[in-house]
Amino acid sequence: MSSFSIDTAKAWMQAYAQVLEENKEYLTELDSAIGDADHGTNMARGMNAAVEPANLDQPDLATLFKKVGLALVSKVGGTAGPLYGTFFMRAAKETGDAGSLDAAGLSRVLHAGLQGVLDRGKAELQDKTMVDAMTPALEAFDAVAATGLTAAATAAGKAARAGAEATTPLLARKGRASYLGERSVGHQDPGATSSAYLFETLAKVVS
């Protein structure tokens, strides 16, 4: 695939919603160990709302991302809603009036989303958060972006999964899990895992 279009974006959102629905019990299980035991149900509810026709049926990328972001903020509880919502709303702002995006353009949009997460959540790498999946995903995306969108997205999906799995031995330093101290060690972060699904579904729809 040479360009990321509105149809691709819609397919991505639908694929992400489906994966979250299929894995909501697993995400909630991860969250039960170090969080409030609601990440899976919250994220599935939020993305199911995001792909309702009133939100999904938009004429351009920026409006679609904005609608998805607003749906997540309003429907997802805890910190995940504001963080994922900010990701998509910052992505919308960076997209502007672009009708489609090449690999370099999509990289800028995704980086804007990540920066929104960093600004709002104040997390850094190895704090055991979604940042630990998103950051390596975008580094991998950029490393092969010159070879095309499909290769870049595929690399991002693999790196996001590896980043999520690498949160298991980390000590949580942000969010609800940080209250547990040493007891947070040995558990994969649910937010990083839902972020891995985000990039894995992107890889799926562009390839």
Side-chain angles (χ1 to χ4, degrees):
M1 181 177 289
S2 60
S3 66
F4 182 87
S5 67
I6 182 65
D7 289 337
T8 312
K10 290 177 181 179
W12 180 24
M13 295 300 96
Q14 289 173 318
Y16 187 43
Q18 181 179 345
V19 167
L20 289 174
E21 182 65 31
E22 292 171 350
N23 292 277
K24 64 183 179 182
E25 292 182 4
Y26 171 60
L27 288 171
T28 294
E29 179 183 339
L30 293 178
D31 198 35
S32 68
I34 57 174
D36 295 324
D38 59 2
H39 187 68
T41 53
N42 279 345
M43 286 299 298
R45 181 176 63 248
M47 278 307 299
N48 284 334
V51 297
E52 289 177 355
N55 293 316
L56 191 68
D57 295 342
Q58 304 303 325
D60 58 79
L61 290 168
T63 307
L64 172 61
F65 287 149
K66 183 178 180 180
K67 288 285 188 178
V68 169
L70 290 171
L72 291 172
V73 169
S74 65
K75 296 293 184 180
V76 180
T79 58
L83 290 172
Y84 274 106
T86 298
F87 177 89
F88 282 108
M89 286 188 281
R90 289 283 189 93
K93 186 175 181 180
E94 182 65 28
T95 300
D97 59 1
S100 63
L101 300 164
D102 59 10
L106 183 57
S107 172
R108 290 192 297 272
V109 167
L110 295 175
H111 273 284
L114 172 58
Q115 190 59 52
V117 171
L118 295 171
D119 291 344
R120 184 145 199 170
K122 309 301 182 186
E124 300 177 356
L125 274 175
Q126 298 197 320
D127 279 349
K128 201 181 183 89
T129 71
M130 59 200 294
V131 171
D132 291 307
M134 287 188 167
T135 299
L138 291 184
E139 289 174 349
F141 188 103
D142 292 345
V144 295
T147 64
L149 187 59
T150 299
T154 299
K158 292 178 180 178
R161 173 56 52 184
E165 293 174 352
T167 62
T168 301
L170 297 179
L171 175 72
R173 296 185 297 206
K174 289 288 183 180
R176 175 69 178 79
S178 66
Y179 302 157
L180 300 178
E182 293 292 339
R183 287 182 292 158
S184 66
V185 174
H187 301 283
Q188 185 168 312
D189 183 67
T193 307
S194 59
S195 293
Y197 291 142
L198 180 67
F199 285 93
E200 287 172 337
T201 52
L202 173 62
K204 181 180 178 180
V205 299
V206 301
S207 61

